[in-house]
Amino acid sequence: MFLFQGYAGSEEVLGMCLEGRRQDAVIATKFGFREGPNTPPYSPQQIDEAVTRSLNKLKTNYVDLLQVHFSSFLENMEESVKELERQVSLGRIKYYGVSNFGPVNMKNFVDVGGKPVSNQIGYNLLWRSVEHEVIPSSQKYGASILAYSPLQQGLLTGKFLKVDDVPMGRRRGKLFSPESCHLARHGQEGAEKEVFEAIAKMNDICKKANVPMAKAALSWVLNQPNVPVAIVGARTPEQMVENCEIVDLPQSVIKELTEATESVKNKIGKSIDQWAHPDRCE
């Protein structure tokens, strides 16, 4: 079970839900964004305090996986790694991982003694830039990919067939032109033409395979190397159940979907951070 610490109240709600059955769940949380995007870096003491807060909110004495949200949130990487190892030795966390770490971030983290078991990063059929360097570097250091946004904020459900169909708040990323969204702060060209051409192709592929696009997209990401987890959100209990029903796609369909989105991958290049420029992930 995964939650995002940035959402106020999420840990408290999960703690209440798991009372009396903590042993049945795997809990992962993060530290970071305590003061929004401009959060100052964490000292080792502040990491300890963040763990304490999470444990209290979750009503548990340990977290299975603690994640560093961005490398920029670490005041001193070597001292931070020592603190994470100390938390493991105390039994307050079982493992630690990272989030939004590019290949340079990952190397720096490992070079000072870090042993991350995972790298949580955005990955889906329309956002494949991590295939260039992030997935290989994570695999090299023994860190599995936890793919967040596997449905690309609903674009991979097949509900949005043109730019104007997409709610304004979901056009903030680098797949869209800044002219399409006054909320965007990435300043990049976008890839709208390639995105909606790919969506049309995927719609046809999924219709022929008789599989809803959302299910196909989730199956695709879980069929990629070193990706055992897809972190998918839901607005309703029904969506949660539906998103947990993963279909077994034939390799031929996986190949077709990959080819359908190749032009988007090429247009985006190696940019890892969907939201800002320059990248916060190196």
Side-chain angles (χ1 to χ4, degrees):
M1 184 175 294
F2 295 90
L3 61 138
F4 185 53
Q5 193 171 356
Y7 294 148
S10 58
E11 290 179 313
E12 292 93 333
V13 171
L14 186 59
M16 288 188 288
C17 291
L18 292 179
E19 280 194 274
R21 50 183 182 150
R22 167 67 182 91
Q23 70 281 359
D24 298 328
V26 174
I27 298 179
T29 191
K30 296 175 181 174
F31 66 88
F33 278 126
R34 66 188 186 278
E35 297 176 24
N38 297 316
T39 292
Y42 281 64
S43 67
Q45 180 182 340
Q46 289 169 325
I47 294 173
D48 179 73
E49 292 167 355
V51 174
T52 298
R53 283 194 299 273
S54 290
L55 295 178
N56 289 338
K57 290 176 182 179
L58 290 162
K59 299 182 179 180
T60 184
N61 59 2
Y62 73 95
V63 165
D64 296 279
L65 177 65
L66 178 70
Q67 299 159 100
V68 183
H69 202 137
F70 277 99
S71 66
S72 59
F73 287 156
L74 300 179
E75 183 178 86
N76 180 294
M77 192 167 282
E78 185 171 5
E79 293 303 313
S80 297
V81 166
K82 288 179 182 176
E83 179 58 28
L84 291 169
E85 289 288 343
R86 190 180 78 89
Q87 294 293 330
V88 173
S89 69
L90 292 173
R92 281 156 53 94
I93 64 175
K94 286 191 173 182
Y95 303 96
Y96 58 87
V98 298
S99 179
N100 300 309
F101 270 43
V104 174
N105 304 141
M106 186 65 80
K107 182 180 185 303
N108 291 342
F109 192 76
V110 172
D111 282 351
V112 296
K115 303 185 216 35
V117 299
S118 59
N119 186 5
Q120 185 185 144
I121 203 146
Y123 185 34
N124 58 65
L125 272 162
L126 291 172
W127 192 260
R128 294 172 50 199
S129 56
V130 296
E131 293 176 357
H132 293 290
E133 296 176 345
V134 176
I135 292 179
S137 71
S138 297
Q139 194 162 16
K140 173 183 175 181
Y141 296 120
S144 298
I145 297 294
L146 311 185
Y148 70 74
S149 198
L151 296 178
Q152 189 52 49
Q153 295 190 304
L155 281 178
L156 289 165
T157 63
K159 295 177 182 176
F160 308 122
L161 303 180
K162 59 184 186 301
V163 173
D164 291 342
D165 293 342
V166 183
M168 183 63 68
R170 301 189 193 185
R171 300 185 212 165
R172 293 182 299 114
K174 291 178 183 175
L175 292 177
F176 294 91
S177 162
E179 285 72 36
S180 294
C181 180
H182 67 278
L183 301 171
R185 56 191 178 94
H186 57 76
Q188 303 300 288
E189 181 183 355
E192 292 174 4
K193 176 178 178 291
E194 292 80 3
V195 163
F196 288 98
E197 285 178 352
I199 288 173
K201 290 177 185 176
M202 287 188 285
N203 255 325
D204 291 340
I205 293 166
C206 292
K207 283 176 183 176
K208 290 175 185 174
N210 196 29
V211 179
M213 187 188 290
K215 288 187 181 295
L218 292 173
S219 179
W220 180 89
V221 79
L222 290 171
N223 268 278
Q224 302 311 302
N226 200 38
V227 185
V229 173
I231 304 172
V232 59
R235 289 185 296 105
T236 66
E238 292 75 21
Q239 281 186 353
M240 181 63 72
V241 171
E242 187 174 338
N243 289 338
C244 288
E245 296 170 346
I246 304 300
V247 299
D248 187 14
L249 281 184
Q251 286 301 310
S252 58
V253 175
I254 291 172
K255 183 173 182 290
E256 285 184 79
L257 292 170
T258 302
E259 291 171 350
T261 58
E262 202 68 31
S263 62
V264 183
K265 177 183 175 180
N266 292 337
K267 184 68 178 286
I268 295 300
K270 294 184 179 181
S271 179
I272 304 168
D273 187 346
Q274 284 205 43
W275 316 107
H277 181 77
D279 267 25
R280 294 166 293 178
C281 320
E282 294 184 286

